[in-house]
Amino acid sequence: MIAGTHRFHGRNSLRYVYQQGKTVRAGELALRFAYNNRITSYRVAVVVSRKVSKSAVIRNRIRRRIYEIVRSAAADITDPYDLIFTVYDEALAEKPHVLLRKNIVGCLARAGVLKSPSDRGSHAIIEQKETKK
């Protein structure tokens, strides 16, 4: 689970992100984000409404899965951002972990929240030209 320092506390802190933040959408979920220079690290909230699923068990499963993926990608989050994931489909509860992770990390990358690939070190294979002698 994600640490308490990386969670939102109260609705007023969410209000700023909803009013001033930008949105990135990826299929069944959307990421709303805003830079926050008043905090030292990122904060995350996952919003799954009752319209998505009437079952609290399913809503909580979706939340836990998204929190875990964000926690595992936390080392790559560069600056103190406020992040709000909004879920639009119940299918995320049963979606394979690899595909869900790809969606969430893709949203974070498109938002510019993650470190650039040049910061992490390149793992690309560099082909060398062969010279004829």
Side-chain angles (χ1 to χ4, degrees):
M1 219 41 188
I2 203 158
T5 58
H6 297 299
R7 292 180 181 256
F8 282 90
H9 301 286
R11 286 194 174 174
N12 286 333
S13 54
L14 291 175
R15 185 174 295 138
Y16 174 77
V17 181
Y18 279 123
Q19 291 174 351
Q20 303 298 323
K22 297 177 182 172
T23 304
V24 175
R25 179 102 191 229
E28 307 92 4
L29 62 95
L31 168 64
R32 189 172 273 279
F33 65 98
Y35 184 80
N36 188 348
N37 58 2
R38 296 173 294 171
I39 57 176
T40 58
S41 65
Y42 70 94
R43 293 189 298 183
V44 180
V46 178
V47 177
V48 185
S49 84
R50 208 173 299 144
K51 288 182 182 179
V52 172
S53 175
K54 300 293 183 199
S55 171
V57 174
I58 293 174
R59 293 194 309 267
N60 289 334
R61 180 179 298 140
I62 293 169
R63 278 190 199 96
R64 285 193 310 267
R65 293 183 78 197
I66 293 174
Y67 277 132
E68 179 59 27
I69 292 170
V70 172
R71 187 193 64 78
S72 66
D76 292 335
I77 297 177
T78 56
D79 296 321
Y81 280 96
D82 287 340
L83 309 168
I84 301 174
F85 287 95
T86 306
V87 176
Y88 297 110
D89 192 4
E90 182 179 3
L92 288 182
E94 301 299 325
K95 191 169 190 174
H97 180 76
V98 175
L99 296 177
L100 183 59
R101 181 175 173 77
K102 184 178 177 183
N103 278 356
I104 292 172
V105 172
C107 280
L108 292 170
R110 280 187 290 161
V113 173
L114 297 179
K115 291 180 187 175
S116 65
S118 61
D119 294 344
R120 283 185 254 147
S122 178
H123 295 290
I125 297 173
I126 300 171
E127 295 181 17
Q128 296 178 352
K129 289 185 179 179
E130 294 182 20
T131 58
K132 292 184 180 181
K133 290 187 180 182

